[in-house]
Amino acid sequence: MFCLLAAPALAAAQNLDAVVNGELSNLVETYKGIHEHPELSHHEEHTAALLAGELRKAGYTVTERVGKYPDGSEAYGLVAILQNGPGPKLLIRTDMDALPIVEETGVAYASHVRTKNAAGQDVGVMHACGHDVHVTTMIGTARALAATRAKWHGTVMLIGQPSEETIDGARAMLADHLYDRFGTPDLAIALHDTNTRAAGTVSITSGPALTSSTSVDVVMRGIGAHGAQPQAGKDPVVMAGEFIVQLQTIVSRQEDPRDPAIVTIGDIHGGTKRNIIPNEVKMEITARAYSDKARQIIVDGIRRTAQGVALSAGVPADLAPIVTVLDAESTPVMYNDPALAARVKAALVKALGANDVIDEEPGTASEDFGIFGLEGRKIPTVMFGLGAIDPVKFAAAQAEGRLLPGPHNSRFEPVPEPTLRTGVKAMTSVAIALLQK
Ligand SMILES: [Zn+2]
Ligand SMILES: [Zn+2]
């Protein structure tokens, strides 16, 4: 009796293992090729073309150049559809862009690509966030789903999303009428690689999984003067200093400590020479929060603090600080729908075993994947984590109480095997579980 019940599930798992095993060496080669040829956000032309070609070969109907940025330029988004009778419509998303980082991993397939960034500066380019892992996992998943069609019903809607790092790619695809043209999905899933877990494992969070990200620009305006005659001006450098220190009291004194939030000034520019008081200082701020309330407290606090500092310095009203919230560079909270997260976790446990599926604490990075769920979280979305660090190196680092470099680090080094094997098996198993009548 036990054997009769267990046999179909076992056969399905073995079947999928066989499919994944068969694809693996090709996927590893594909991964290395993508890794060696990274492209910055807004420039994913060749990566998108490669993905489109692979998905067409796997039997999907592919549409390229889906996406419009606010300035009217075209995005390299792609949509690949595989229909398999009546059933749910499942969106699976990969991002495709790389970062302006000079790679220092030393792997044989390291990137040596250099290019100009939007500001015209010469920069290195590296897949330092592992979006190459995601693209390759999607290719493997697409093939595996095509090969296991007898096990699922419905429509697979694969999304190759550009410009995740600049967080305007998901919006660009929706602005190009993604759902009007290709139908609105019932559910949406994605994965992201991580250095906090060993390759071979996956992790999942229920509820808020990643913070919202709010980009704010502040220009502290003063009155320039000779550095030896401060009384003749209003010094924006001193104001910026006061502003920076006071800003940290928003989180520590004004915001509810049970609702974590972060304010970071990552960029500050002002002045040209030591003996000149400049006219202005520009600062770029990122704010992270798990709730809309905390986000609002921070935005209001940034405005109030800037105004207050300028007021106390005696800056005239017409030179008040300019505070700009950049909606196009901001994302909502990445919210893992609890009911869907439970289904995804059950499928992961069934495919990988309970030991390799880890309940994860919410993280403080940000993602624009949640935008595919639409305002008000109309479409349930879940993103799960994919361990990417060599298990032996991971364990050795853990024993010393540390982690190896992670995303956005020049030494972040996902190990292709078993990361890709686990990614394809995990994503395919989740998709099959969700694509049932
Ligand atoms: Zn990233
Ligand atoms: Zn990323």
Side-chain angles (χ1 to χ4, degrees):
M1 190 63 188
F2 174 79
C3 287
L4 280 176
L5 279 173
L10 192 64
Q14 282 171 341
N15 228 329
L16 182 54
D17 278 336
V19 172
V20 177
N21 283 340
E23 299 292 347
L24 205 66
S25 64
N26 174 275
L27 289 174
V28 169
E29 284 315 301
T30 302
Y31 166 73
K32 290 177 176 173
I34 300 172
H35 187 86
E36 212 172 342
H37 299 99
E39 295 171 299
L40 290 179
S41 311
H42 289 235
H43 299 278
E44 307 89 343
E45 184 177 1
H46 297 103
T47 311
L50 182 148
L51 179 59
E54 291 298 336
L55 298 180
R56 274 196 193 101
K57 272 191 258 167
Y60 291 66
T61 306
V62 180
T63 307
E64 293 175 80
R65 307 283 166 107
V66 179
K68 279 261 181 303
Y69 294 111
D71 67 0
S73 62
E74 221 175 37
Y76 292 110
L78 73 86
V79 180
I81 303 280
L82 185 63
Q83 284 173 330
N84 191 23
K89 189 178 186 99
L90 175 66
L91 182 156
I92 305 175
R93 173 271 213 169
T94 179
D95 34 20
M96 304 186 290
D97 51 335
L99 287 159
I101 290 178
V102 176
E103 178 159 356
E104 295 184 304
T105 59
V107 295
Y109 49 92
S111 160
H112 301 287
V113 173
R114 297 199 73 89
T115 189
K116 295 253 189 275
N117 66 9
Q121 296 158 320
D122 182 52
V123 292
V125 188
M126 174 188 177
H127 265 299
C129 206
H131 297 182
D132 46 356
V133 171
H134 307 170
V135 170
T136 313
T137 301
M138 175 169 280
I139 294 168
T141 301
R143 292 177 188 167
L145 283 173
T148 56
R149 233 178 284 215
K151 300 184 195 310
W152 58 273
H153 311 272
T155 302
V156 175
M157 178 184 194
L158 302 178
I159 299 284
Q161 185 207 303
S163 303
E164 189 283 324
E165 298 294 354
T166 47
I167 50 180
D168 52 356
R171 272 197 196 92
M173 292 190 78
L174 288 172
D176 201 13
H177 308 286
L178 176 69
Y179 294 162
D180 297 333
R181 293 165 64 188
F182 301 96
T184 306
D186 300 299
L187 306 163
I189 53 173
L191 58 72
H192 202 297
D193 61 0
T194 174
N195 67 316
T196 62
R197 301 294 169 195
T201 68
V202 295
S203 57
I204 184 160
T205 311
S206 186
L210 295 172
T211 53
S212 64
S213 167
T214 307
S215 299
V216 185
D217 284 354
V218 174
V219 184
M220 291 304 282
R221 296 189 292 175
I223 297 171
H226 194 293
Q229 294 172 330
Q231 77 281 10
K234 298 288 178 196
D235 189 344
V237 174
V238 174
M239 284 187 262
E242 289 175 348
F243 172 76
I244 290 164
V245 174
Q246 272 201 39
L247 200 64
Q248 294 307 321
T249 67
I250 299 172
V251 170
S252 67
R253 303 290 87 177
Q254 301 168 39
E255 213 265 311
D256 187 338
R258 294 165 300 181
D259 186 6
I262 302 163
V263 181
T264 293
I265 299 177
D267 189 283
I268 173 165
H269 281 98
T272 51
K273 194 168 184 295
R274 73 180 77 242
N275 61 357
I276 301 171
I277 293 173
N279 284 319
E280 61 180 35
V281 173
K282 292 181 178 171
M283 288 166 277
E284 293 186 10
I285 301 172
T286 185
R288 308 295 169 104
Y290 291 106
S291 73
D292 293 340
K293 191 177 167 200
R295 183 183 198 234
Q296 198 56 48
I297 287 172
I298 291 170
V299 171
D300 293 346
I302 291 170
R303 286 189 201 284
R304 210 171 40 243
T305 307
Q307 300 293 348
V309 165
L311 198 65
S312 73
V315 170
D318 62 337
L319 289 177
I322 302 168
V323 178
T324 313
V325 178
L326 307 169
D327 288 329
E329 293 181 32
S330 301
T331 59
V333 172
M334 169 65 241
Y335 185 81
N336 277 352
D337 178 81
L340 181 58
R343 292 178 69 193
V344 169
K345 185 181 170 185
L348 291 171
V349 167
K350 197 170 157 195
L352 304 176
N355 284 344
D356 288 336
V357 181
I358 300 152
D359 287 315
E360 192 71 272
E361 295 290 320
T364 56
S366 291
E367 250 293 341
D368 68 353
F369 168 61
I371 289 173
F372 287 110
L374 301 177
E375 274 306 302
R377 297 174 190 152
K378 283 195 193 71
I379 301 162
T381 59
V382 162
M383 171 176 273
F384 62 91
L386 176 66
I389 302 295
D390 182 316
V392 175
K393 293 181 188 169
F394 183 83
Q398 285 288 94
E400 295 170 10
R402 62 189 181 92
L403 285 171
L404 292 170
H408 293 219
N409 187 302
S410 59
R411 297 181 194 275
F412 177 42
E413 187 190 330
V415 62
E417 159 71 356
T419 304
L420 296 169
R421 176 195 299 273
T422 309
V424 173
K425 188 172 177 188
M427 189 53 99
T428 308
S429 303
V430 167
I432 291 172
L434 299 177
L435 287 162
Q436 299 299 327
K437 278 191 259 190

